[in-house]
Structure formats: C-alpha cells, structure tokens
Amino acid sequence: MSIDLKNLIPVLQAEWIGFNTATFVDHVSIDSRSLQNGSKTLFIALSGVNNDAHLYIPELIEKGVQNFVVQYIPENSKGKANFLVVKNSLNALQQFAAYYRDLFHFPIIGLTGSNGKTIVKEWLNFLLSPDYNIIRSPKSYNSQVGVPLSVIAINEKHNLGIFEAGISMVNEMTHLEQIIKPNIGVLTNIGSAHDEGFQSLEQKISEKLQLFKRAAVIIYQKSELVDGCLASFLKENQLQDRVLFSWSFTDKTADVFILKKESKNDKTIIQYQYQNGIFDLEIPFQDSASIENGISCLLVLLYFKYDAATIQNRMQLLYPVEMRLEVKNGINNCSIIDDSYSSDFQSLKIALDFLESQNKNASKTVILSDIFQSGFSNEELYSKVAQLITDNKVNRVIGIGNTISSFSDKFSNAVMFQTTADFIASFESLNFANETILIKGARSFQFEEIVTLLEEKTHETILEINLNSISHNLNFFKAKLASQVKMMVMVKAFGYGNGGLEIAKLLEYHKVDYLGVAFADEGISLRNGGIQLPIMVLNPESTSFPSIIQYQLEPEIYSVKGLNAFLKIAREKNLKDYPIHIKLDTGMHRLGFEENTIDELIATLKGNSTVRIQSILSHLATSDDMNHYEFVLSQVRLFERLSSKLMSELDINPIRHILNTSGISNFPDAQYNMVRLGIGLYGVSNDPLEQKYLENVGTLKSIISQVRTIPAGDSVGYGRRFMAQKETKIATIPIGYADGISRLWGNQVGYVNIKNQKAPIVGSICMDMLMVDVSEMDCKEGDSVVIFGENPTVTEIADALKTIPYEILTSISQRVKRVFFR
Ligand SMILES: *Cc1c(COP(=O)(O)O)cnc(C)c1O
C-alpha cells in the first residue's frame, strides 16, 4: 500500500495538524512495541479500556514514526509529527479499512458463526491456494480491531480474500460488514446457546447474517431456525434475489444432502448428493465439528465449480489447525515460539511482533521455510522478508527450502538448508542456546519435527497461562480506580504460581506503576529479566539489603531495627533519597510499625536525607469478608491517623496504599493514591458476581498415559483405597502430589475434566501420578485432561479442600512447565 495521508482527511473526517509536506504511508500499526514501526508507518493510537496508546507517542516519534491518527495530541508531542485528530480512533481505523477495501475488486469470502470460523478459513486457504493468491485474516483476527487490520493487509497481488468476523453484541456486525463487504458469505456452526450480549439465539443469528448484506451467495447448514432468520433477513433488506446454497444431514431439500457418514480409522467417509450426482468424500477427522467445518469447505469448493475428484484430492489432506502462537521452553535455556503450520508474509509480520513482545533472551533467531503464495516475485518477496528481519533486529536466520536458500545473499547472518532433513542432520552444530527462536514454516516442511527437537523434554503436564486474560483482569480492576490512583501489582511467589517474568513483562507493557514481590531474590530475577518498573520488596531480610540496593529494589521497612540496619548500609554507600516504604500495623498483626513505635520512627527519620519515604502502607485482614466491615473501617481510620502524623511531622507527601484485591472491590473510598492488586489479576475473586467478569488465567493440563479395564473386586493404587464395585475403566494421568495436587483431592473427593466430562479421581494420589474412573466415557491414551481451569475452577477445588485459591495456585510445583499464549 502507498497512501497519501491527505486523502484520508475526508475519509476519517479528521483535522490535520502537522507539517505541510506530502506524506505517504505504507502500513498501519496499533502496537507501540512493534519494531516494524518506522517513517512509513501510520500509527493509529487506540485508547480503550486496554491501554492508552497515546502514551507511547513520544517514544514512537523518537523511533522515527511521523504519522499518527489520534484523539488528542500529547502535550509534549505537539509540532513534532503529523497528526490526524479524530473523535474516535477505533472508528477511524475502521473507516480507513473500509475505504481501503474499496480500492480492490476481487472476490472476498466472509465467514461468521459461533464455532469453526478460523478453521474453515485456514482450510479454505489451504484448499484454494493452488489457484489463487489469497489474503486472509491472520490467526483469529476477527474483532472490531482485528478485521480492519486484516483488510488493510490486502495488496495489488491478491486475487481472493478470506476474512472472518466475530461479534459479541448487537450492532457490531454492521461495522465489520462495511469493512469486509464479502461477495460470498459462509455461516459456520452457530452453536446452541445464545451468548451474553444477545437476548436469544434468533437475535444472535440475525445479527451474524448482517455480514451478508452484499453477498451474492450465502452458504449455510439448513435448519428451521436459520431458514427462518434468513427469510426475515432477506425480506427486511429486500434481498430476495440472493442465492442460498445449503447443506444438511437430514433435509433432502438442501442443495447438498449428506446421505451417509461413516467413521473409518481416523477418517470419516461421507456420501453426498449434489445436482443429481452422488459422490464420496473422505475427511481426515472423526469429530463432528471437523466434519461440519469440512462440509462448509465442500460447499465453497462446489460453488467455485471444482469437480468431485479435485475436491476429494485436496480435502483428504486437511490438517489440524493450530490457532495461536505459543511460547514453549526449549533446550539450553532457549524459548520457542511455535508457528510451524503457516508461512506467508502477513503472518510472518505478526509472528515477529510476537517474538519481540515475548523475547526472554537477548538473542533472537528465526527459522523460516520458503514462503508461498505472496503474489510477489521471489526477488521482491525475499527482499521484503530480509528487510523485515533486519527491522526486527533478528540475530540469526535459518532458512530452509530451495527458494529461500537461493536468496541467501539478501540476508545477513543467515544459514541455509535445502530441506528440513538437512537442517536436522546439522542440528548439533548449530548450538542453540539462550535464544528465543521463532519457528515458522509452511506445512509441507514439517517443522513440527524441528519443534520436537528444540523443545525441552519434560513430562506432559503443563500450566497454560492466557496472557490476554491477565490483561483483561488488569483492566477490569483499573476501571474501578479513581483517576490518578496508581496500581501496584503483586507478582510475589512467581506471580501466584503463574510465572513471574512473563507476567511482569506484560504488566510493564501495560504501564502499571509498581510491582510487589515478597523477597529480594524474586525482585533480582525480575531485574535480570530486564524489568525496569519500580519493585517493592515486602519482606526484605537484612542480609539482602546490599543486593536490594544493587538491583534498585525498594524495601518495605516495618521496624525501627530494620530501618537502622538499612540506614547503616545506605550511609556506607553514600546513598541519597533512597526510596523506602513504611509499613504500618493497623490490625493485621503481621509486619509493621505499631502505634507506640511511631514516635521513634519519626525521630529516626527526621532530618535524614539518606532515605526517602516513597510510600506508606498497611494491609487489611478482612477486606474479603463483610462480616468484618467495621474492623476494616477501624484499620483504615488508624492508617489515616498514623500516616497523617508521619506526613505532617516529617513534612512529606508520599504515596499511601492499603487495598488488596478484595479491598479494591469492597472499599472504593480507601483507594488513597495507590492500590495493590494480587489474586484478582490471576482471575480469582471471592465474590461470585465479580468472578463472572474475570477471565480464567491458568489451566493445568495433562494427558492420559494409559487406559485399562479392571474387573469388579480389584483395587486401584497404594493402600487399595479404591475397590471397583463393577467392571471399571481406569485412566492414569502423569501428575501427582509432587506437582502440587493435594492428596486430599484424591479418593473420589475430586475429579479431572476429560472432554468436558467429570472423571472422578480414584484411589490415593501418588507422587507423580493419579488414576481416574473413565468408565462412562470414550477416551484413549494421549487425550487431554484438565486438572483445573474453567472447570473445575481453583475456587471449587479450594472450597472442597477447605483452603483458599491462593494456596492451590502457589502449590503448583516449578517442575510443571508454564506455557504462555495470547
Ligand atoms: C499479597 C499481598 C497483596 C495482594 O493481595 P490479594 O488478596 O492477592 O489481592 C497486597 N498487599 C500485601 C501486603 C500482600 O502481601
């Protein structure tokens, strides 16, 4: 793309404030972290509940970005760049995308539905790619932000588009329709429940149909419900001439009628009737969702007039779709970003941004296969790829494939291999260590073999952490704060068991004001990981004072003795104004200055310039329990009195803070200048209503190692504590009390979740394994098992074990691998 900003002024109804020079941009960014931001970038500053991108504008100008769409110009950036000032920058992004879309005239497939959008999109891309240069939404970019970003990536070389649209409320689809304007509409599975945000299933379907206002054909699974919604949609919009192209398992009047469906090994053979012919089709899956998604693809291919033999040849090669980028721990302290199922230019850009945001090691490596279907000549394409890789400051490139190898001179620091097998043969000599490795390749290169080689070998149990949910929860609590109130987030105990450094990085991105850790060591490892936010240490031991100072950590001081010890070391180092935090005991009776020690504290600090009181804090004992409402108020009153006394006698004006998560929810009047968010960030609330608004962060997962059937009368496990009353099918899961699963959760007290069904734990939980009763379900070795997450929740487990979610979360042992994704 090359767009003159001046042309955008009427499109965005913007006010232009900037230099009077002609300005062309060639791409759009909304992510301040992207290393791809540069002089040709149009940066659209979104400001939502998430993160106000306007805050990053000064940094971006320094990095060379010159063109911005903004809602306001930050004070210190005036006169330093071109600004298009708009009322609402999300609208502007959408208007721009709609305008840009109209510059192209090739067919566009628009997908919507409740399930299967991304899979159908990826499969159609695979099925149609031999014949078209396709632009498609990357991953599941189907939201109000994702759709415009996807559309903006169209270029002159494309001749088919496939975009998905997802909505969560009424009226959203109209916006997306104007951006995608699909000519071919596909409605995937619509689910049986209406989601929050819709009053009924009909309303949800009708809203989704809005995507097809301009579509010449609508492809869907026939049912009374959808037919009814379609009829009123067509009538309301006077679209009776639209072609409807439907399929069904049961209704013979559908255009494609499925006569038979038969599983065989890992495949399903279906027989369908279409235009008086009867055809067989093999789909390499067994589950019903995949079959439905496969049939949606079949209809699109029929609409494109492919013959049955070509359809059969291509569809039998369909593959499972990996929908998200995952970070995994690799060998020799590497981390791996696994994107081993796709290679196209647009998704490479996204993956490189992800690499930058997740980069845990100083050094970055990209393993890249040949890139297909870009539409560009190879010469052009690999020049662009090389440039992108340079912009992203990638330290080494490993190219695999004949084509990429032949352009090796375009890359600096590149090693090239003709085939994946050649790479594997040289694996040892490449010495992978201490680097973050992005693995990105077209399917035919089978890069999953490379992932297997690079992945750290541990057992199959992982704790999956959803970084998006953490952002969501952070924003939920931020929204409760009065303006100017700062946010400290507690990442002690390895981020409540969820992973310290990765979460701290995300929080730094979200510009929280402070991090809190329990011990100096925790703060030191955050500093070693590159975290620059101020860090308060709750429980500094005096032996750790020198390293606290060395790593610029800020100690909480809770006694005169501790204060004197810190002052001694600080004076030896000639420190001035070193920030410390004064903890007051207002009733918790754990750590802190009591009322009768305040005078001594004041005397010690008066006239002292070695340290500076950065904040004064106290901690509530019962903020989660309204039965103790009065007690909380007494703590707050005492905090007010003691902190005021310190402030007036020492003539200081520090930050004051007393609220933890449930304090934020229950005592909004006591926010002072800062709050300390803990468990809420990790998705847990003690209030069932509030819990509904939080997103689950951690999912503890494992797999089935073995399945056996035992006769009535046999026992399971140590101590024979489970006796089978009847023939029983038992599955063994490789997770035990050494991983942090309490033994009290065994013996039919607790359960695990297999394919959304409860499998009760039978017998005693062992050190490294536990056994469950799966008599009632269809499962096999290798199937995935959820120990906790959405279901059961940690709260449910904690209640059953008469403890609190904090203990369950922080008990998960460090040998359980943490996998982060967004
Ligand atoms: C852990 C901790 C918090 C956070 O508590 P949550 O209940 O998890 O929000 C706040 N303040 C102090 C002093 C803490 O130790």
Side-chain angles (χ1 to χ4, degrees), residues 660-705:
N660 64 338
T661 301
S662 40
I664 299 172
S665 304
N666 296 334
F667 298 92
D669 293 338
Q671 292 178 357
Y672 287 94
N673 328 87
M674 185 155 81
V675 297
R676 300 187 304 272
L677 178 65
I679 194 94
L681 185 79
Y682 309 99
V684 177
S685 169
N686 70 310
D687 173 358
L689 185 67
E690 183 169 88
Q691 184 65 55
K692 285 199 182 142
Y693 292 98
L694 298 179
E695 288 183 5
N696 182 57
V697 167
T699 305
L700 182 60
K701 284 185 165 175
S702 190
I703 57 157
I704 297 178
S705 308

Side-chain angles (χ1 to χ4, degrees), residues 490 492 496 538 590 619 660-661 676-679 806:
M490 308 311 289
K492 59 194 183 196
Y496 287 46
L538 288 168
R590 187 169 71 174
H619 195 41
N660 64 338
T661 301
R676 300 187 304 272
L677 178 65
I679 194 94
Y806 300 69

Side-chain angles (χ1 to χ4, degrees), residues 478-599:
K478 260 192 192 167
K480 291 184 181 284
L481 304 186
S483 64
Q484 312 300 330
V485 173
K486 295 180 191 306
M487 173 80 88
M488 174 184 284
V489 180
M490 308 311 289
V491 292
K492 59 194 183 196
F494 200 57
Y496 287 46
N498 293 285
L501 182 57
E502 293 76 6
I503 292 174
K505 285 203 161 177
L506 184 67
L507 295 168
E508 188 157 81
Y509 170 69
H510 282 294
K511 295 194 186 286
V512 307
D513 301 280
Y514 256 94
L515 297 178
V517 296
F519 297 104
D521 291 354
E522 298 176 329
I524 292 170
S525 65
L526 294 182
R527 285 280 181 260
N528 285 335
I531 299 295
Q532 293 176 351
L533 282 176
I535 300 175
M536 182 179 86
V537 182
L538 288 168
N539 211 340
E541 289 134 356
S542 43
T543 49
S544 69
F545 285 157
S547 40
I548 286 202
I549 293 169
Q550 186 191 342
Y551 287 90
Q552 295 184 334
L553 306 172
E554 303 176 14
E556 172 187 293
I557 301 291
Y558 51 84
S559 68
V560 174
K561 184 161 165 269
L563 177 59
N564 281 326
F566 189 75
L567 279 173
K568 180 162 177 285
I569 291 173
R571 284 195 187 109
E572 282 165 13
K573 297 193 188 285
N574 272 325
L575 298 184
K576 277 259 160 304
D577 285 340
Y578 197 88
I580 61 169
H581 301 260
I582 298 294
K583 174 76 151 288
L584 303 176
D585 178 9
T586 56
M588 173 88 173
H589 298 333
R590 187 169 71 174
L591 292 179
F593 290 92
E594 289 168 45
E595 178 156 22
N596 62 13
T597 59
I598 295 292
D599 289 333

